[in-house]
Amino acid sequence: MTRDSYDGIQDDGSDLRTGGKPRKLIFTVVILLGFVIVLLAIVLLWNNLFPASSPSDQPTTQHVVQVQPPVAAEVQKVEDAPSVVIAETPKTEAPAPEVQPQEPSKPTVTRTTTAVSLDETPMTTRSTKNMVQFADHRVAEGESLDSIAQSYGLKTQTLINVNQIRNVNAVTPGVTLRIPDRDGQIYIVKSGDMLSTIARSYNMGWHTLMDLNGLTSDMIRPGQELFIPDSTAQNAASSSAAEVATVNFQKPTKGKVVLSFTQSASEPVDSNGILIEGTWGDAVLASADGNVVDVGIEPQGRGRFVVISHADGYKTTYAHLESVEVRGGDKVSAGQMIGTIGTSGTTWDTPKLFFRLEQSSYALDPASFF
């Protein structure tokens, strides 16, 4: 019995030793958790009691820096200091840029341009091989228009027209004449003229007319002078001491000038005159005071005509009249009716008057007188 009780006590003691390890482990874990909790509580309490300050909460301290003005260094005078001479370096001028020569531009030729105002465009010329050249001749004692023209190998009519001589008696010693290098006359451009039509009216090419007058294009303007070769110019007008007209002439009839001075006509009319187209019944008037020196009829030439002499060697002829109202020897006044315009001596369908003006047997351009 006693042994049994003792064995029972030993069994209980072995059970206690076996179950004690788990309890000890649990106890250790509980202690560690408690320590961690206490540590966290201390950290939270510290942050609440002493919060961290932000940069914006800190007061801004401004530092004022006072800038002291620079103190000029005291210049000490140095006695007998050696002088320093600085040699000037000669300036070198940059070479001028080389200018490349430019080729002259070729003239532009436009055939449809009409004469424009003198103020609208400047006149330009160029030197050409065929360009007409002029020389000045001072009339000397004993010289006449015939002798001067002969000395230059020209026609007398060329000198009369180029210099627009309205009074051959005014060509006296001391007068300077323009002498062209060939026969011809001066044409004065009118408003609306075209170079091509002017050239065509004188049976020549417009390009030839350009070269002859040294034009860079066919741009022409009223009042511009054009030299027309072979005595075929019209409406010449220039300024010369030889242009003193002693007699005033007027247009002999109303109407349009359809044939200019020295131009050829389809019908055999006198040369060196103008042709004025009118209507049936238009009056023909004496161009100036004078005397009727000839009245007649040429069926194949001038038709019915009248010739009147005027002062200072002037003479006028009126041809192709339909009727004649004067007789030889009559004295007439400027503007007096001497007949009517017609077609006598021609086969024309419309009436025209041929009018010629001359002085001392030299034919003059009537259009330059009125």
Side-chain angles (χ1 to χ4, degrees):
M1 252 339 246
T2 305
R3 182 181 295 263
D4 293 335
S5 300
Y6 179 78
D7 293 336
I9 294 172
Q10 290 181 343
D11 292 340
D12 292 336
S14 61
D15 293 338
L16 289 173
R17 286 192 298 269
T18 304
K21 292 180 179 180
R23 292 191 187 96
K24 188 176 181 179
L25 180 60
I26 292 170
F27 182 74
T28 302
V29 171
V30 171
I31 292 174
L32 290 175
L33 290 174
F35 178 77
V36 171
I37 292 171
V38 171
L39 182 60
L40 291 174
I42 292 172
V43 171
L44 292 175
L45 181 61
W46 180 271
N47 289 336
N48 290 332
L49 294 177
F50 306 99
S53 58
S54 60
S56 60
D57 297 335
Q58 296 179 0
T60 302
T61 303
Q62 297 181 354
H63 299 278
V64 179
V65 179
Q66 295 182 355
V67 179
Q68 297 294 334
V71 179
E74 183 177 358
V75 179
Q76 296 181 357
K77 184 176 180 181
V78 180
E79 300 292 342
D80 300 331
S83 59
V84 179
V85 179
I86 301 176
E88 293 186 358
T89 304
K91 296 182 179 180
T92 304
E93 296 183 357
E98 182 179 358
V99 179
Q100 297 294 333
Q102 298 182 355
E103 296 182 357
S105 58
K106 296 182 179 180
T108 302
V109 178
T110 307
R111 297 183 58 183
T112 58
T113 305
T114 58
V116 297
S117 172
L118 287 170
D119 297 331
E120 292 181 2
T121 180
M123 183 178 65
T124 58
T125 59
R126 60 189 174 91
S127 179
T128 61
K129 180 179 179 181
N130 297 323
M131 184 176 177
V132 62
Q133 302 294 328
F134 293 91
D136 291 335
H137 178 88
R138 189 177 181 86
V139 179
E141 287 287 348
E143 288 187 322
S144 65
L145 285 174
D146 289 332
S147 64
I148 295 172
Q150 186 176 3
S151 66
Y152 287 96
L154 300 173
K155 299 176 182 178
T156 304
Q157 188 60 46
T158 295
L159 300 186
I160 292 175
N161 185 269
V162 169
N163 294 277
Q164 206 34 185
I165 297 173
R166 300 174 64 182
N167 182 6
V168 295
N169 295 327
V171 182
T172 57
V175 171
T176 300
L177 300 177
R178 295 174 66 198
I179 311 295
D181 60 359
R182 68 202 74 182
D183 280 312
Q185 296 184 3
I186 299 297
Y187 176 85
I188 304 300
V189 177
K190 302 184 298 296
S191 179
D193 277 347
M194 292 193 300
L195 192 70
S196 58
T197 56
I198 295 173
R200 191 182 306 117
S201 65
Y202 298 114
N203 299 318
M204 61 186 303
W206 62 271
H207 195 273
T208 301
L209 189 56
M210 279 181 54
D211 289 343
L212 190 65
N213 289 274
L215 303 179
T216 58
S217 72
D218 67 351
M219 179 76 71
I220 55 178
R221 60 191 187 184
Q224 181 178 347
E225 292 186 357
L226 297 177
F227 183 84
I228 309 295
D230 300 328
S231 301
T232 54
Q234 65 177 357
N235 284 348
S238 61
S239 177
S240 171
E243 289 185 19
V244 180
T246 58
V247 179
N248 293 324
F249 293 91
Q250 67 181 41
K251 191 175 180 181
T253 186
K254 61 182 180 180
K256 179 181 179 182
V257 176
V258 294
L259 184 68
S260 304
F261 184 60
T262 71
Q263 282 186 287
S264 60
S266 59
E267 296 288 344
V269 296
D270 287 345
S271 61
N272 297 329
I274 62 174
L275 202 61
I276 304 174
E277 185 177 47
T279 58
W280 293 106
D282 286 348
V284 176
L285 311 176
S287 186
D289 296 342
N291 298 311
V292 178
V293 295
D294 195 6
V295 176
I297 182 171
E298 295 177 355
Q300 301 300 324
R302 292 179 291 179
R304 294 182 180 89
F305 67 90
V306 173
V307 179
I308 302 176
S309 65
H310 310 276
D312 294 330
Y314 288 101
K315 186 170 63 174
T316 54
T317 301
Y318 313 77
H320 310 301
L321 300 175
E322 181 65 20
S323 64
V324 176
E325 304 296 333
V326 294
R327 294 178 297 179
D330 288 350
K331 185 175 183 178
V332 295
S333 301
Q336 179 179 337
M337 181 176 175
I338 61 174
T340 58
I341 194 170
T343 60
S344 60
T346 71
T347 57
W348 296 334
D349 295 328
T350 57
K352 300 179 182 68
L353 171 68
F354 177 81
F355 179 70
R356 173 186 172 96
L357 189 153
E358 57 187 298
Q359 185 187 33
S360 301
S361 300
Y362 293 114
L364 304 175
D365 184 1
S368 63
F369 287 80
F370 46 78

